[in-house]
Amino acid sequence: MNSTAIRFQALLVSAMLAAPGVAQVGVRYAPSASAIPNPERGFYTELTSQSERSPLTANELAECKTKGQSLILRMYYLSAFRSQPLSDVELNIVRNDFRVIRAAGMKCIPRFAYSHNIGQQDAPLNIVMGHIAQLKPIIRANADVIAAMQAGFIGAWGEMHSSTNGLDSIVNMRKILFELLRVLPPERMIQVRTPHYKREIFNRQAPIARREAFNESMYSRVGHHNDCFLANWNDYGTYADTTEETQYLSEECRYVPMGGETCNPSSFAACANTIRQMEKLHWSFLNSGYHPGVLAGWRGQNCFDEIVKRLGYRFELLSGSFDGTLHPGNGFHYAVRLTNTGFAALFNPRDVELVIEHRASRTRWAVKLPDDPRFWAPGDTVSLAGEAGLPDDLPGGEYSVYLNLPDPEPRLHFRPDYAVQFADDNTWVPESGYNDLQFTLNIRTGYAGKMYTGLYYFQPLTVPAGGETTDSE
């Protein structure tokens, strides 16, 4: 459906939903030109830990945040444990790293490996499976701050090739990947190094279809990372058949994460092709430190700023139509149009809420909407329209109305660092993580009009002290 048709449909839905005799308030929003440091997307910093050394520090993450980054790639080299269980020291480093990441309001992409070059030893399968079992309780307890995990463990850099212990056979790759999928909660995804690895492991050629996206099956939870993006015609062996496999990724990565890094300058990394490939393959995140020559080329050719803005999702509010004056117990009608100008969509679960705030008392009520923002695809214009019931005892007065896309995880739900900011001027409220819809809802006490009898009701909103629940593990 084209954008004109969608605009007409949104206005029609708004008119049909509007309560008889209730005046609608229309709002238009102004797109922002700023880069938005939203969760689970953008440039990331790679921070590496060698065996029993280099725990994360708050200062390292603070430096990342000053660069507008919300993500790190946390690389663990376990070379000291190729033939033995992980030590308590190593496990405590991993455990504490997650606490530091959460305290900083960031997320990570973890990867574990034994070798940092071709020819170096990795570990036998029994050792790998034992290490995964040791890490399981830590990973499960901290999955809220894992954006996605990379399969790792096998061969050089954990890239699933060049194993010295035969881990890069399809049988062994399948064993390791499936065990990691069982370790992670079902709403989290794992990235593999090449598309043909995934297809061979699952013995399936077809990409994920929309009907099976996010259904928590193993196949729907495996995404992709390319650590030699734009290096040459096949990205240094990332593709066995570049034309066919990039088309596969173009369809598949609508619903799973694509990210990674560049590894050398080439003519393929010219700006025009870079933007074209990022749009086609739906890139969500990229290493900010490698390759320096490629990054410098993007700056020199003036596409770096566009990449910063468009990696992952970028939601812009376009217009809204809302009931302007209501009474307690009425239904509040809303219709909001937005678009995604990013390269990709969200790949992890995320709530969509309407929040109303009494301006005098600052008391809030919220309703969770049925929409799934993971389907707000790049290039699409989306219409959110419906009705939600106001409480019968809602105080009279003026109300601000917000659109909120919080992280659904309990420890993160009320933390602004983990909420999605829309790319519009004068809408973001940093103290709460809400997006201000820029209109006033007037509530007049006393019965008037039709009382709401639907499924969606505003409920009193109580934010826990400190904005999050207590830590665990």
Side-chain angles (χ1 to χ4, degrees):
M1 184 180 295
N2 63 40
S3 59
T4 301
I6 292 171
R7 282 197 297 271
F8 175 77
Q9 183 186 61
L11 292 171
L12 179 63
V13 168
S14 176
M16 291 172 63
L17 289 174
V22 176
Q24 292 278 292
V25 176
V27 183
R28 291 195 175 276
Y29 303 98
S32 171
S34 299
I36 308 295
N38 266 320
E40 303 176 339
R41 58 150 303 276
F43 277 100
Y44 65 76
T45 293
E46 179 179 340
L47 296 172
T48 300
S49 174
Q50 301 292 341
S51 299
E52 295 190 337
R53 298 195 304 277
S54 308
L56 280 178
T57 68
N59 286 340
E60 286 177 307
L61 298 187
E63 184 178 346
C64 294
K65 293 197 79 170
T66 62
K67 295 186 287 186
Q69 296 178 7
S70 67
L71 269 178
I72 64 165
L73 174 70
R74 185 54 168 158
M75 190 79 198
Y76 295 95
Y77 283 109
L78 308 175
S79 54
F81 305 102
R82 292 179 177 125
S83 59
Q84 60 184 321
L86 300 176
S87 67
D88 288 342
V89 171
E90 182 69 22
L91 292 171
N92 282 331
I93 284 175
V94 178
R95 185 179 289 110
N96 189 65
D97 283 354
F98 283 120
R99 291 182 178 136
V100 174
I101 290 166
R102 188 179 297 103
M106 300 184 72
K107 291 201 176 187
C108 70
I109 307 155
R111 189 200 305 179
F112 298 87
Y114 304 94
S115 162
H116 53 80
N117 215 330
I118 292 174
Q120 288 189 352
Q121 293 286 316
D122 52 15
L125 180 63
N126 67 308
I127 294 292
V128 173
M129 299 302 274
H131 289 170
I132 293 173
Q134 288 182 278
L135 291 164
K136 178 178 178 177
I138 302 173
I139 291 172
R140 289 192 70 87
N142 294 284
D144 58 340
V145 291
I146 293 176
M149 188 173 179
Q150 294 183 347
F153 289 102
I154 298 171
W157 308 286
E159 288 189 12
M160 305 178 75
H161 62 77
S162 309
S163 172
T164 61
N165 284 278
L167 300 180
D168 50 0
S169 70
I170 295 302
V171 170
N172 286 335
M173 286 196 292
R174 182 180 295 119
K175 287 179 180 178
I176 292 170
L177 177 61
F178 283 14
E179 185 59 25
L180 289 172
L181 286 165
R182 285 187 282 266
V183 164
L184 274 176
E187 64 273 12
R188 285 295 181 267
M189 298 188 183
I190 294 179
Q191 296 174 288
V192 296
R193 177 60 182 86
T194 73
H196 56 269
Y197 288 164
K198 177 176 178 178
R199 294 167 110 178
E200 291 177 2
I201 287 168
F202 285 93
N203 191 28
R204 169 176 164 170
Q205 297 300 302
I208 297 166
R210 180 185 171 91
R211 67 180 179 279
E212 60 185 334
F214 314 118
N215 69 2
E216 298 187 353
S217 66
M218 283 191 172
Y219 194 80
S220 73
R221 295 172 55 208
V222 176
H224 305 271
H225 68 101
N226 181 349
D227 289 357
C228 257
F229 183 46
L230 304 170
N232 67 354
W233 64 276
N234 70 354
D235 289 354
Y236 282 6
T238 297
Y239 304 123
D241 181 334
T242 303
T243 301
E244 193 276 334
E245 288 177 349
T246 55
Q247 183 56 41
Y248 164 87
L249 290 176
S250 181
E251 298 176 41
E252 171 125 323
C253 293
R254 294 177 181 273
Y255 313 113
V256 293
M258 167 61 84
E261 66 182 30
T262 56
C263 68
N264 70 278
S266 79
S267 60
F268 290 86
C271 272
N273 188 54
T274 294
I275 299 298
R276 184 163 53 247
Q277 294 302 316
M278 287 185 172
E279 288 177 336
K280 179 179 180 178
L281 304 177
H282 309 301
W283 274 73
S284 281
F285 42 80
L286 192 71
N287 194 331
S288 66
Y290 210 77
H291 187 284
V294 175
L295 301 174
W298 292 341
R299 288 188 173 94
Q301 296 173 50
N302 296 318
C303 67
F304 186 82
D305 288 348
E306 179 179 355
I307 294 169
V308 170
K309 293 175 187 176
R310 297 185 65 198
L311 278 169
Y313 58 91
R314 182 179 173 90
F315 300 139
E316 295 179 8
L317 294 167
L318 300 175
S319 63
S321 180
F322 313 96
D323 288 338
T325 301
L326 293 171
H327 297 259
N330 288 168
F332 171 65
H333 297 83
Y334 63 89
V336 177
R337 291 178 53 253
L338 60 95
T339 187
N340 181 0
T341 60
F343 295 134
L346 289 156
F347 51 84
N348 283 331
R350 188 158 288 272
D351 290 344
V352 182
E353 298 177 345
L354 279 177
V355 180
I356 58 174
E357 181 181 63
H358 190 260
R359 288 178 177 169
S361 68
R362 305 299 298 273
T363 308
R364 297 171 183 168
W365 292 258
V367 57
K368 182 179 175 180
L369 304 182
D371 305 272
D372 188 340
R374 292 175 296 184
F375 289 104
W376 298 354
D380 280 3
T381 298
V382 178
S383 176
L384 307 180
E387 181 183 12
L390 299 172
D392 293 340
D393 58 353
L394 193 67
E398 294 186 342
Y399 286 75
S400 298
V401 182
Y402 306 101
L403 187 60
N404 183 30
L405 269 66
D407 196 300
E409 294 290 340
R411 287 180 288 184
L412 311 181
H413 187 85
F414 294 101
R415 295 188 56 184
D417 282 333
Y418 293 103
V420 170
Q421 177 180 352
F422 283 77
D424 294 272
D425 292 333
N426 305 314
T427 56
W428 179 241
V429 185
E431 295 79 14
S432 62
Y434 298 161
N435 298 276
D436 191 339
L437 292 175
Q438 297 185 342
F439 87 103
T440 299
L441 170 63
N442 291 286
I443 300 298
R444 296 177 180 172
T445 56
Y447 175 80
K450 183 180 178 181
M451 303 300 282
Y452 179 75
T453 58
L455 298 177
Y456 300 98
Y457 281 90
F458 285 94
Q459 301 293 335
L461 184 61
T462 302
V463 179
E468 61 178 311
T469 59
T470 56
D471 228 351
S472 66
E473 225 296 312

